């Protein structure tokens, strides 16, 4: 089996000093010399590792909130193994994760549409038994409920409004197809 690559800074370095940057449940061990490293330097290292621009990052700890990026860690009593928290500026993570969520929802909707279409074809040709059709209907209804919950809970930018509205329209069409499948399926009962 192929070994998954470790996420950057996931292991504390044994041969150098580091600070611990927490984001969510994850801890990142960023190697540095606190006597010369700056807040901007830590952000730059995180930026390269994660592909996130430094200007959207904010590092927070008891003595560094709202400090300049040129602030040396030791000047605010940060030392080896000191902890700080990584936050993103308002709206940044919503944009990043929102686009990812839209892609995931599109894939889930496509899967549900394919399942509904294949179920309908099999029903029309009597190529599916009652038990299997019940199972497929249960799966389709789960898809619909998950997609609906995701779309209703989404906060989107104007650039994504058309995409989300299009997904809602497709979900409406999927619901109609599932109702039609239910009607055809009930003829078996």
């Amino acid at each position: 089996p192929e070994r998954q690559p470790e996420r950057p800074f996931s292991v504390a370095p044994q041969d150098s000093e580091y600070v611990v940057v927490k984001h969510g449940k994850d801890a990142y061990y960023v190697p540095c010399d606190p006597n010369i490293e700056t807040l901007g330097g830590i952000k730059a290292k995180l930026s390269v590792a994660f592909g996130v621009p430094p200007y959207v990052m904010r590092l927070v700890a008891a003595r560094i909130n709202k400090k300049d990026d040129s602030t040396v860690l030791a000047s605010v009593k940060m030392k080896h193994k000191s902890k700080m928290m990584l936050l993103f500026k308002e709206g940044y993570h919503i944009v990043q994760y929102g686009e990812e969520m839209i892609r995931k929802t599109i894939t889930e909707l496509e899967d549900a549409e394919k399942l509904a279409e294949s179920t309908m074809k099999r029903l029309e040709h009597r190529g599916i038994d009652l038990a299997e059709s019940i199972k497929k209907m249960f799966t389709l209804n789960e898809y619909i409920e998950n997609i609906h919950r995701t779309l209703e809970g989404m906060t989107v930018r104007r650039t994504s409004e058309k995409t989300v509205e299009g997904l809602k329209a497709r979900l409406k069409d999927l619901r109609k197809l599932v109702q039609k499948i239910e009607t055809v399926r009930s003829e078996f009962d």
Side-chain angles (χ1 to χ4, degrees), residues 95 155-165:
V95 171
T155 304
V156 295
R157 299 176 302 164
R158 289 179 189 235
T159 54
S160 300
E161 278 178 13
K162 286 183 180 177
T163 303
V164 172
E165 290 308 313

Side-chain angles (χ1 to χ4, degrees), residues 63-128:
R63 294 173 196 87
I64 65 169
N65 196 12
K66 300 196 184 214
K67 293 288 181 183
D68 187 282
D69 279 354
S70 64
T71 302
V72 175
L73 298 178
S75 73
V76 287
K77 300 190 184 341
M78 299 294 290
K79 57 186 182 201
H80 176 53
K81 296 185 182 179
S82 286
K83 293 182 175 111
M84 59 184 96
M85 185 169 43
L86 172 64
L87 300 174
F88 293 109
K89 289 189 177 172
E90 187 175 344
Y92 181 77
H93 65 286
I94 292 170
V95 171
Q96 182 182 18
Y97 297 123
E99 290 171 2
E100 183 179 313
M101 185 61 72
I102 287 172
R103 283 192 299 276
K104 181 179 173 237
T105 303
I106 289 170
T107 301
E108 195 172 358
L109 185 56
E110 288 170 349
D111 291 346
E113 289 167 337
K114 288 176 191 170
L115 178 61
E117 288 165 9
S118 71
T119 302
M120 186 62 173
K121 283 179 185 171
R122 290 183 65 198
L123 275 170
E124 290 173 341
H125 295 96
R126 305 282 193 241
I128 190 170

Side-chain angles (χ1 to χ4, degrees), residues 116-181:
E117 288 165 9
S118 71
T119 302
M120 186 62 173
K121 283 179 185 171
R122 290 183 65 198
L123 275 170
E124 290 173 341
H125 295 96
R126 305 282 193 241
I128 190 170
D129 64 25
L130 184 62
E132 187 180 358
S133 71
I134 290 170
K135 185 177 176 183
K136 290 200 181 294
M137 290 305 296
F138 179 78
T139 302
L140 280 168
N141 285 316
E142 277 187 333
Y143 268 127
I144 288 171
E145 188 59 35
N146 287 338
I147 294 166
H148 173 78
R149 229 183 353 258
T150 300
L151 290 174
E152 291 305 311
M154 246 181 223
T155 304
V156 295
R157 299 176 302 164
R158 289 179 189 235
T159 54
S160 300
E161 278 178 13
K162 286 183 180 177
T163 303
V164 172
E165 290 308 313
L167 291 173
K168 287 180 179 179
R170 285 174 62 188
L171 181 60
K172 187 176 179 180
D173 291 343
L174 178 62
R175 281 189 169 127
K176 288 177 185 174
L177 180 56
V178 168
Q179 286 174 342
K180 189 175 177 183
I181 291 170

